[in-house]
Amino acid sequence: MIELESARARVLEGCAALTPVRVDLAEACGLVLAETVVADQLLPPFANTAVDGYAIRAADAAGATHGSPVRLAVVETIAAGAASSRVLGAGEAMQIMTGAPIPAGADAVVMVEDTNAAGHGELVEIRRSVLAGDAVRPAGDDVHPGDRLFLPGEVLSPAHVGVLASLGRLDVLVHPRVRVGVISTGDELVEGPVPLQPGQIRDSNRITLLALVDAAGATGVDLGLVRDDEELIRQAFVAAAATCDAIISSGGVSMGEFDFVKRVLDEVGQMNWMQVAIRPAKPLAFGTIDGTPVFGLPGNPVSSMVSFELFARPGLRRLAGHHDEELVRNSLRAVTGEPFPRSPDGKTHFVRVVAANVEGRYVVRSAGGQGSHQLAVMAAANALVVLPDGDGVPAGHEVALLLLG
Ligand code: AMP
Ligand code: MG
């Protein structure tokens, strides 16, 4: 058996970040930046008002209160998107809307709630004094030319694409969204509401893995259900390698007699067949076909999910350009709410649990049976407890936790 970390290192070696491409901002959120974004302009581009109100000279309203307001002459109205060409003089005010440029000569804005229109709109009563700069957002308050805003490896968030749009950018250089072909193999598998013949079960891995691929920020490509037929399996993998950035298959990597997946992958690709010291998900095949990474995950539904979490997800994140420190989910500390017994077997166990946040710390209880076929238990679980080799742990013990989803 090979240790988890060594197996994962082999996987990551075969997964290099995809070549950067330019994508429209509308498609960029969630992708990993592949350029340094340096500002070439001020944001905001001009000084503007933070409130609806009146632009004034603060000195003109010194001492103004509700009881003794100061009256100023309203000489213009400036809407957002407009600008005043005149200079505000002493004793004057300009009505101004949020975001509109501060007129020359003004140094503060009084919010409309602290004013009263008078003299049929020709006058305004200022009912509160302000300081120079009040409610004024200076040009460059957010960004200056030359600011190094974003660095390669940053994940673009909604705010990131908003800043890029503010700078006038229409596209951005990123690592592309990873296209992942997902294949199920096995003669026992059928789909949909058809009556099951003896020995048949329904394919659940493909839909589950496609969902996991999507949740990992990649795009799943459904490559269907392939029979245990050498030629069909060969065609499916070769076509997938030609059209996808990565391939995930499930089934056929254990020791079954009719598993042609192993024979085919050895023929068309360079594969590592591993027995990882973990439970579930001991068997793992990883390699490449013409440079395209291939993850051969075990067929048991829970095993394929755990294997995806521990190997495929980090590999896909690497293809997507994520930094090395951000490939594997951070493990949290949790406390066992009940005993977690196990027997020594040389493996690290990943126990399906329900983790509840109790006053700021996670308390974990088993989600149910721990068989690698018990997918409904996986559905009830929200986390995996990492149980090191040994005799298990009592209630009240600290354990490492991987929060899923
Ligand atoms: P294998 O890895 O092919 O030996 O399969 C191990 C177990 O997983 C068997 O019980 C299979 O029937 C089951 N299995 C394989 N592929 C799938 C699938 N796509 N959906 C659900 N169960 C599967
Ligand atoms: Mg099989």
Side-chain angles (χ1 to χ4, degrees):
M1 285 194 296
I2 165 174
E3 289 305 313
L4 168 63
E5 292 304 331
S6 318
R8 188 146 58 203
R10 284 198 198 172
V11 166
L12 294 178
E13 258 169 50
C15 298
L18 299 178
T19 305
V21 294
R22 295 215 152 268
V23 307
D24 287 351
L25 289 191
E27 268 113 59
C29 198
L31 298 179
V32 178
L33 188 63
E35 62 170 309
T36 301
V37 174
V38 180
D40 59 355
Q41 52 199 276
L42 293 167
L43 293 179
F46 50 85
N48 65 91
T49 171
V51 297
D52 294 321
Y54 290 85
I56 65 165
R57 300 177 174 211
D60 283 350
T65 63
H66 268 243
S68 70
V70 170
R71 288 192 155 206
L72 301 175
V74 179
V75 295
E76 197 167 327
T77 295
I78 315 167
S84 174
S85 51
R86 62 187 280 180
V87 177
L88 183 106
E92 291 180 345
M94 290 190 197
Q95 192 178 13
I96 191 167
M97 311 308 166
T98 302
I102 304 291
D107 60 9
V109 178
V110 187
M111 69 164 81
V112 71
E113 291 85 341
D114 292 328
T115 68
N116 249 345
H120 306 290
E122 283 170 16
L123 294 173
V124 61
E125 283 184 358
I126 309 295
R127 301 156 60 115
R128 205 165 110 174
S129 65
V130 287
L131 299 173
D134 279 3
V136 175
R137 303 191 287 211
D141 202 22
D142 197 16
V143 169
H144 276 95
D147 286 353
R148 284 157 59 87
L149 295 175
F150 311 137
L151 299 175
E154 279 186 57
V155 180
L156 294 175
S157 69
H160 283 82
V161 293
V163 170
L164 289 165
S166 303
L167 293 171
R169 298 275 299 261
L170 294 174
D171 55 30
V172 60
L173 192 67
V174 292
H175 298 283
R177 205 173 288 282
V178 182
R179 281 170 49 86
V180 185
V182 178
I183 305 179
S184 285
T185 63
D187 272 348
E188 72 277 33
L189 303 175
V190 294
E191 286 183 271
V194 295
L196 295 176
Q197 301 304 316
Q200 288 187 330
I201 57 164
R202 295 194 180 86
D203 177 6
S204 61
N205 289 352
R206 191 156 39 99
I207 194 79
T208 298
L209 289 167
L210 285 166
L212 287 171
V213 164
D214 276 4
T219 300
V221 180
D222 186 351
L223 298 178
L225 180 52
V226 185
R227 299 277 144 231
D228 281 327
D229 173 291
E230 203 169 328
E231 187 47 36
L232 291 177
I233 292 174
R234 182 182 298 111
Q235 283 168 16
F237 277 96
V238 169
T243 54
C244 297
D245 302 313
I247 304 169
I248 296 180
S249 75
S250 69
V253 298
S254 47
M255 300 292 153
E257 219 172 307
F258 300 101
D259 286 340
F260 297 111
V261 173
K262 184 171 188 333
R263 200 185 302 170
V264 167
L265 285 181
D266 271 335
E267 181 198 315
V268 299
Q270 285 80 49
M271 300 299 296
N272 276 296
W273 301 90
M274 294 173 262
Q275 298 292 319
V276 190
I278 57 174
R279 180 173 164 184
K282 183 170 72 148
L284 171 69
F286 176 78
T288 54
I289 300 175
D290 297 330
T292 301
V294 184
F295 300 85
L297 307 186
N300 276 306
V302 176
S303 305
S304 70
M305 289 190 75
V306 171
S307 195
F308 180 93
E309 168 67 25
L310 298 179
F311 303 109
R313 187 174 177 276
L316 299 184
R317 286 176 66 78
R318 190 144 211 250
L319 291 169
H322 289 278
H323 282 314
D324 282 353
E325 317 78 68
E326 279 155 23
L327 302 179
V328 175
R329 227 186 275 276
N330 283 333
S331 80
L332 308 173
R333 306 305 302 174
V335 176
T336 52
E338 62 191 26
F340 281 79
R342 54 160 292 179
S343 316
D345 59 5
K347 297 179 207 162
T348 302
H349 291 192
F350 289 85
V351 184
R352 281 70 82 195
V353 297
V354 176
N357 195 324
V358 180
E359 289 162 8
R361 66 172 200 174
Y362 285 107
V363 176
V364 294
R365 291 178 183 278
S366 171
Q370 297 293 319
S372 59
H373 58 295
Q374 287 172 301
L375 189 55
V377 174
M378 190 65 168
N382 63 352
L384 300 172
V385 156
V386 186
L387 213 52
D389 193 22
D391 292 310
V393 298
H397 200 267
E398 195 177 82
V399 285
L401 184 71
L402 295 177
L403 264 193
L404 301 171

